[in-house]
Structure formats: C-alpha cells, structure tokens
Amino acid sequence: MTTPYATLLRVIERYLHPEHYADMEMLQDAVKNTEGEMMRVFKEELRVVMRDPGVLPEGALAEAAEYEDGSERKFLDRLWRELYGDEPV
C-alpha cells in the first residue's frame, strides 16, 4: 500500500529533515531546475495539501520535516511562499 502523498513527504524529508544534509535552498534549486515528474507531482500534491492538510496521515508532515513553525498550516504556507512566491495555490 502506498502512503498518501508519498512524493510530497519524500521530497520534504529529503530536503528539510534536519538529519539530512540538505536545506531549503537546495529544494528551491531542485524546484527551479527540475522539470521531471517527481517535482511536478510534488507541486501537485503540495497544492492539495495546502487546501486541506487533513488529507495527510496524522503526524506525517511533522515527521518528514520536524518543522518549528507551530502548525502544519504555517509550515505549508511558508513552504509554498519560499518555493513558489506569489504564485496562486
């Protein structure tokens, strides 16, 4: 069984989890410079989750990123802004 929004969670964990040697700048570069299927799916899944964070399994986002924004919504809003600027969700 595939985890819902597996691509989104995998990308977030790869680039934003503190145990990995990556960061937001690397994710920004990947988003800008990669036109592959994975980043297309990532953006599509991020859009869905932005509209309704409740579609993710409980705790999955916090486990993937260990964010310190205070809430999933704040983290997602910041993530979208840092990756896509003023582009509408």
Side-chain angles (χ1 to χ4, degrees):
M1 183 172 167
T2 303
T3 303
Y5 306 96
T7 300
L8 173 74
L9 295 171
R10 185 172 33 245
V11 169
I12 288 173
E13 181 173 10
R14 177 179 178 189
Y15 288 98
L16 302 178
H17 194 281
E19 291 180 6
H20 296 251
Y21 296 103
D23 59 21
M24 183 62 76
E25 285 183 28
M26 292 176 77
L27 179 53
Q28 289 168 328
D29 289 342
V31 166
K32 289 178 192 171
N33 300 323
T34 306
E35 296 189 22
E37 181 70 7
M38 185 168 79
M39 286 302 160
R40 185 195 64 73
V41 171
F42 168 78
K43 187 175 184 179
E44 183 179 305
E45 290 182 355
L46 180 56
R47 279 189 163 123
V48 172
V49 171
M50 290 282 299
R51 291 181 186 112
D52 182 10
V55 299
L56 287 174
E58 188 172 334
L61 191 58
E63 185 178 322
E66 292 189 10
Y67 56 84
E68 295 180 1
D69 296 76
S71 73
E72 287 183 351
R73 169 59 57 203
K74 288 179 183 178
F75 170 74
L76 291 168
D77 288 344
R78 178 176 60 85
L79 180 61
W80 183 269
R81 271 192 326 276
E82 290 193 31
L83 296 178
Y84 304 108
D86 293 333
E87 181 180 330
V89 174

